[in-house]
Amino acid sequence: MLRPTRMKKIQILALEGYRYQLIKKLQELGTVHLTDFAEKLTDPVLKDLLNPHPPSSIIRKIAAQTISVNRFLDLFGRYDLEKKEGFMKGIFAPSPPRKIETREIYGKELIDHVDGVLEKVEGEIEDPVNILEKIDEEINESEKAIKSLNLVRSLEIDLSDVGETEFSSVILGIAPNEDLEKLRERLKDLTGNTFYLGVKETSDNKTAAVLVCLKEETVSILTNIRRLNWERIDIKGLEGTPSQAIDSTNKKLTLLGEERINKEVVIGDISKKWKDKLKICQELLIAERQREESQSKFASMESAVIIEGWVPKHMAEKTVAEMKNVSHNACVIETSDPEDNDDVPVQLTNPKFIRSFELLTRLYGLPVYNGIDPTMFLVPGFLLFFSIMLTDAMYGIMAFILGFLLIRGGGKYNQLIKDGGIVFASAGVATFVIGGLTGGWFGDFGLKLSFLKAVQIFDPMVGVTAFLLIALVIGLTHVNVGVVIQIVDNFKRGKIQNAIGENLWFLFAQPGIFFYIIGHNVIGLIFIIISLILLLYGHKAMAMFQITGYMGDVLSYARLMALGLCTTGIAMTVNVLSSMLWKIGVIGIIFAVIVFLVGHIFNFVINAMGSFVHGLRLHYVEFFTKFYQSGGAEFAPLNKQFETLEIK
Amino acid sequence: MEITAGLVLAIMGAAVSMGVAAISSGIGVGLAGIAGAGVISEDPKKFGPVLVLQALPQTQGIYGFLGAVLILIGVGVLGGAAKEIPLGMGYAALGGGIVIGLSSITAIAQGAIAASGMGAVAKRPETFGQAIVLAVMAETFAIFGLLIAILIFVGTKIMGA
């Protein structure tokens, strides 16, 4: 709770022959975070004895198979006729995840099995996919042709005349109206007047034209007239007038479209048949790949393999027993406590309710192994700050409902959504309490009901200065808690100098100032002098910045009051606006209700977000900086987690 | 309602509070939005974090709004009872409005930070929380500005019982 899970270093020396079974068992247990031996092998002593473990020989095969499987699953995904679940539905009312039953396949059997499946799928799907691609190509070409045909629609020629004969070329094109004269002139020059240009004006100041010229002059003419903004329209293999061609091409498109749908259905059927089997292959391959890849972290010594890692203290005994079991005792296993400079992975352990708030700690960064897990301190602080900044009981109820819906909806299958829901719901409850005590029920709207008014013990809009003082006192307390945690932690770790020099001066300064103010000058001065001595001892030249730093820290908590007032103020504004509209008659009443609802929802969203962010920020910047060391690496054990498979 | 010089000054205070805050928040949110459009052009799935980061510089605008409303309610223009506004109180309200307006200029910096934060999130989605904290740091002094304004209003009886 106060610290990350205690870990033990585990070292296994076993016969190489048992390597696969050992890894597989480790994967099933999910308790060991493997460390990479490569770093240790730079040590001269070890370098003589050990070699890095040779990488797996089948990993490339597995990678290739994975690529093929993923490719097919992607293809199926595109033609999948099942509807995907919408985003909102996924969060609030997800359907239970589908589980596919299978027996466990691994090792060589898995490789062969996957090869078999891939072969069969490839056989069935190759033809339909190829035909589909051809159809798409044809559709593309037809659509392009229709576009071109539309440009020259007005020309009344037979398209089968377009192209080359033995001596002449017939070319279609488009030119802007203003360039037409120049075009004729240029063509006269180029061909000695041996050409024909038939024109028909089209829309937007362009003219469609058919050009007939000598075949041998075609290339030079085209290069030339392109500079006069002549745009060639390339149409091949069509008959009839452009309008007729457009019709026939449209008919062709319709037929192609139908054929396409047919082929899609075919692929859809194949997808249904093979999708599950491919998913099984995909996930089993992932597990196998993890096993094979972990080998590169080991060291080897002739016919032995050496595995090193971290295991949580309470799982150490069981893990050792299972390892010995799997290798028929042909191994030597040692567990030891971590040393000071070891980079131990971090796993947070907290009781159930507090565990949901771990995501707030993770947002900042995991603690180092020897540091403190701040989550349990974060919970009361965050709930208090959030509720003070969102001082409204009705908003608290809204937050609670939102959290509840998340827990009951997406939270059933997704731990992150469930945690988020618990955070919201508990924040909502806290806000309900504080909101009720400060008389916030949609601002001052609810105070019309006398029993709600009776519960109000403090009006933040009236007792503004008092509210500010309360916020600063809360801030001072919070900072002191942070300081105390730091001092106690450092004492426990034996860092006496840190414990005394860093922040202890602050704990003496406060009673010093207090006694001085209330008149006990002598006692006050004694405390202040002790505090100054500690301050100079711990910080020397930077002492001044410590004082200003602490002042800034405490003042920062004034935002509790500012944001709390902000919520109340805007809620009041919404109420004032609504009441003004209400007086205007029937239309006014409708608008008044709309303004009321929209305004309060807007206020809720903006200020809930603000309270959340600032509540966290106060913890991260004013609280954590006193004692928290982040930067720990996550405990990531070799673990077998199947998304959709259920092993029978 | 009688239009006295005091009332006019107070209304100007409300105008400065909301007006300058609106400009600052607008620029800040605009800076963030420009970066946001770039992020979602690469990966539309990041719209959620982008939107949250873009919303952060908006709070200064809300403080400006709150300040203006507190002044207007306090001098009786909005909802509350009409009062006789002496010249001094008008100046005080103007001062409160100015402090909120000026301190809201931090929204421009906050928008720039949020824009960079979006770049961080685009590259490494796990830095989302840290990007939010970075942006929120710029808001500290806008909050102090709001605080001073509230203290001014309370002290000169514009606000409070």
Side-chain angles (χ1 to χ4, degrees):
Chain A
M1 193 134 95
L2 251 187
R3 299 209 182 265
T5 319
R6 294 298 90 186
M7 300 273 169
K8 273 204 170 285
K9 190 188 293 191
I10 184 170
Q11 290 162 311
I12 306 174
L13 171 69
L15 281 183
E16 169 70 31
Y18 283 111
R19 177 184 42 82
Y20 188 81
Q21 286 94 312
L22 284 170
I23 302 181
K24 193 156 180 310
K25 197 41 137 159
L26 282 179
Q27 206 185 32
E28 275 165 37
L29 286 172
T31 55
V32 174
H33 172 121
L34 293 172
T35 50
D36 200 340
F37 233 101
E39 299 147 3
K40 276 205 164 166
L41 289 177
T42 50
D43 182 285
V45 175
L46 290 177
K47 215 167 32 177
D48 285 333
L49 285 174
L50 306 172
N51 295 317
H53 194 277
S56 153
S57 49
I58 58 171
I59 199 126
R60 242 180 266 153
K61 176 90 176 141
I62 296 179
Q65 282 182 335
T66 311
I67 292 178
S68 300
V69 169
N70 287 340
R71 188 166 55 90
F72 284 132
L73 283 172
D74 273 340
L75 182 65
F76 290 163
R78 264 183 276 151
Y79 297 105
D80 204 345
L81 303 165
E82 273 175 42
K83 284 233 180 83
K84 298 263 164 66
E85 215 164 56
F87 179 69
M88 274 293 138
K89 186 163 185 295
I91 292 193
F92 288 107
S95 26
R98 228 168 49 120
K99 290 279 178 194
I100 310 175
E101 274 183 23
T102 177
R103 68 175 173 89
E104 187 169 17
I105 316 174
Y106 54 89
K108 182 148 192 333
E109 197 194 338
L110 175 64
I111 309 287
D112 292 337
H113 172 86
V114 174
D115 270 339
V117 170
L118 284 175
E119 219 181 289
K120 292 201 195 98
V121 174
E122 178 77 41
E124 287 193 25
I125 204 140
E126 199 177 342
D127 279 338
V129 166
N130 282 338
I131 297 180
L132 200 68
E133 277 174 18
K134 273 211 202 83
I135 295 179
D136 277 335
E137 256 181 65
E138 281 186 49
I139 292 183
N140 231 340
E141 274 188 41
S142 301
E143 284 178 347
K144 262 196 251 161
I146 289 189
K147 268 207 201 108
S148 308
L149 285 170
N150 268 319
L151 291 170
V152 296
R153 200 179 190 138
S154 48
L155 289 174
E156 278 160 23
I157 56 168
D158 191 338
L159 286 172
S160 49
D161 288 332
V162 173
E164 291 182 349
T165 67
E166 205 177 330
F167 293 112
S168 62
S169 297
V170 179
I171 305 164
L172 294 174
I174 290 212
N177 286 350
E178 58 257 18
D179 290 321
L180 218 50
E181 274 310 304
K182 265 189 258 155
L183 199 62
R184 282 193 192 274
E185 287 299 316
R186 181 66 62 84
L187 285 168
K188 268 200 201 129
D189 290 333
L190 286 172
T191 64
N193 220 357
T194 326
F195 72 98
Y196 170 77
L197 191 70
V199 295
K200 261 285 169 62
E201 207 172 300
T202 63
S203 52
D204 50 273
N205 290 327
K206 295 233 172 104
T207 307
V210 54
L211 169 66
V212 185
C213 61
L214 291 175
K215 187 149 108 176
E216 63 227 22
E217 293 177 339
T218 316
V219 179
S220 61
I221 292 180
L222 284 176
T223 342
N224 216 305
I225 58 178
R226 205 181 299 142
R227 294 193 208 123
L228 290 174
N229 297 322
W230 168 274
E231 204 184 306
R232 180 178 181 180
I233 305 289
D234 216 349
I235 298 179
K236 295 193 193 79
L238 293 169
E239 303 184 337
T241 67
S243 320
Q244 290 171 341
I246 291 179
D247 282 337
S248 64
T249 315
N250 271 327
K251 282 207 197 85
K252 187 174 172 196
L253 271 177
T254 324
L255 283 174
L256 284 172
E258 282 171 16
E259 236 190 285
R260 190 173 201 284
I261 295 180
N262 286 339
K263 287 295 167 229
E264 279 184 356
V265 169
V266 167
I267 297 186
D269 286 336
I270 300 181
S271 149
K272 253 189 258 170
K273 180 173 166 197
W274 287 105
K275 198 167 70 161
D276 280 355
K277 296 208 180 75
L278 278 177
K279 200 81 174 93
I280 294 176
C281 291
Q282 187 191 47
E283 299 208 1
L284 288 176
L285 277 176
I286 291 177
E288 185 73 21
R289 185 182 193 149
Q290 204 186 53
R291 288 190 281 265
E292 295 297 318
E293 276 178 342
S294 58
Q295 285 180 41
S296 48
K297 293 194 181 143
F298 303 159
S300 73
M301 185 169 85
E302 298 200 21
S303 41
V305 64
I306 302 175
I307 304 174
E308 192 182 275
W310 297 100
V311 60
K313 201 163 173 179
H314 57 279
M315 300 296 290
E317 228 179 277
K318 174 167 184 211
T319 308
V320 170
E322 295 274 356
M323 290 288 102
K324 292 217 159 125
N325 202 350
V326 159
S327 57
H328 303 123
N329 272 325
C331 63
V332 175
I333 306 186
E334 224 177 67
T335 55
S336 53
D337 284 321
E339 279 156 44
D340 275 335
N341 56 352
D342 274 331
D343 195 9
V344 188
V346 166
Q347 184 192 55
L348 300 178
T349 33
N350 282 300
K352 220 163 99 173
F353 176 65
I354 300 182
R355 205 181 307 153
S356 304
F357 287 78
E358 277 175 16
L359 62 89
L360 297 178
T361 307
R362 276 172 209 278
L363 219 55
Y364 184 80
L366 282 175
V368 294
Y369 179 71
N370 286 321
I372 295 194
D373 178 2
T375 315
M376 77 173 197
F377 298 111
L378 197 92
V379 175
F382 178 74
L383 291 178
L384 179 66
F385 295 170
F386 184 90
S387 52
I388 291 184
M389 288 193 271
L390 190 71
T391 38
D392 196 294
M394 293 307 286
Y395 294 174
I397 294 181
M398 281 160 75
F400 177 76
I401 293 177
L402 180 69
F404 185 72
L405 287 175
L406 282 175
I407 299 176
R408 280 309 167 109
K412 268 195 281 197
Y413 308 115
N414 184 328
Q415 189 59 34
L416 187 61
I417 296 182
K418 187 170 185 191
D419 286 339
I422 293 180
V423 170
F424 267 118
S426 37
V429 169
T431 312
F432 177 72
V433 170
I434 301 282
L437 290 176
T438 54
W441 304 84
F442 284 135
D444 53 357
F445 181 71
L447 292 178
K448 299 192 179 135
L449 296 167
S450 56
F451 72 91
L452 291 178
K453 190 141 177 62
V455 184
Q456 181 186 32
I457 59 170
F458 179 70
D459 187 345
M461 293 297 260
V462 168
V464 175
T465 330
F467 197 6
L468 179 61
L469 272 169
I470 294 176
L472 291 176
V473 166
I474 291 178
L476 195 63
T477 317
H478 204 226
V479 168
N480 277 322
V481 169
V483 165
V484 167
I485 295 177
Q486 187 257 341
I487 294 177
V488 169
D489 181 41
N490 275 303
F491 263 122
K492 275 206 182 149
R493 290 208 257 165
K495 294 189 176 163
I496 309 291
Q497 197 181 20
N498 257 349
I500 299 187
E502 192 72 32
N503 291 310
L504 192 58
W505 71 269
F506 189 64
L507 290 184
F508 277 93
Q510 291 166 80
I513 298 177
F514 176 71
F515 283 126
Y516 197 82
I517 291 182
I518 64 172
H520 292 285
N521 292 6
V522 180
I523 307 181
L525 270 174
I526 295 180
F527 271 104
I528 291 181
I529 291 179
I530 299 179
S531 137
L532 280 172
I533 295 177
L534 287 168
L535 175 62
L536 285 167
Y537 162 67
H539 297 278
K540 306 190 185 28
M542 305 294 274
M544 195 57 212
F545 291 108
Q546 283 292 301
I547 301 180
T548 52
Y550 269 97
M551 271 172 55
D553 285 345
V554 176
L555 281 176
S556 196
Y557 288 84
R559 73 185 66 222
L560 291 173
M561 170 261 204
L563 287 168
L565 232 49
C566 192
T567 317
T568 315
I570 296 188
M572 241 172 58
T573 313
V574 173
N575 293 343
V576 166
L577 289 174
S578 308
S579 63
M580 275 169 35
L581 283 170
W582 183 272
K583 299 187 185 120
I584 303 185
V586 182
I587 299 279
I589 294 186
I590 299 176
F591 274 105
V593 171
I594 295 177
V595 164
F596 186 81
L597 287 174
V598 170
H600 279 294
I601 292 179
F602 170 77
N603 193 19
F604 169 67
V605 169
I606 294 280
N607 277 301
M609 201 171 76
S611 307
F612 185 84
V613 169
H614 283 281
L616 271 188
R617 177 225 172 279
L618 284 172
H619 281 87
Y620 291 165
V621 178
E622 274 82 28
F623 188 59
F624 279 11
T625 45
K626 300 285 175 291
F627 64 90
Y628 189 55
Q629 289 166 287
S630 67
E634 174 106 45
F635 177 71
L638 197 64
N639 202 341
K640 190 162 62 183
Q641 265 178 344
F642 291 125
E643 245 178 63
T644 54
L645 297 190
E646 214 175 281
I647 305 292
K648 284 286 161 208
Chain B
M1 156 180 298
E2 215 188 304
I3 310 286
T4 60
L7 185 65
V8 168
L9 285 171
I11 292 177
M12 279 168 58
V16 168
S17 169
M18 182 73 246
V20 179
I23 296 177
S24 315
S25 258
I27 297 180
V29 168
L31 287 172
I34 292 175
V39 171
I40 59 174
S41 75
E42 292 275 324
D43 184 0
K45 286 190 230 115
K46 296 232 165 62
F47 185 58
V50 162
L51 199 60
V52 171
L53 282 169
Q54 195 199 18
L56 291 177
Q58 281 179 349
T59 35
Q60 276 87 339
I62 297 186
Y63 298 158
F65 177 72
L66 180 66
V69 164
L70 288 175
I71 293 176
L72 292 179
I73 292 182
V75 299
V77 171
L78 191 66
K83 299 189 217 171
E84 169 71 45
I85 311 297
L87 192 64
M89 192 186 263
Y91 274 117
L94 179 64
I98 290 178
V99 76
I100 294 183
L102 287 179
S103 61
S104 75
I105 297 181
T106 52
I108 300 180
Q110 193 171 22
I113 303 176
S116 311
M118 288 181 196
V121 169
K123 215 172 172 193
R124 283 166 154 269
E126 67 266 21
T127 58
F128 180 47
Q130 296 158 334
I132 292 184
V133 174
L134 283 179
V136 158
M137 297 302 275
E139 209 168 298
T140 310
F141 298 107
I143 295 180
F144 284 174
L146 177 68
L147 203 57
I148 295 293
I150 291 179
L151 291 176
I152 292 177
F153 297 154
V154 168
T156 55
K157 302 275 188 290
I158 299 175
M159 244 177 83

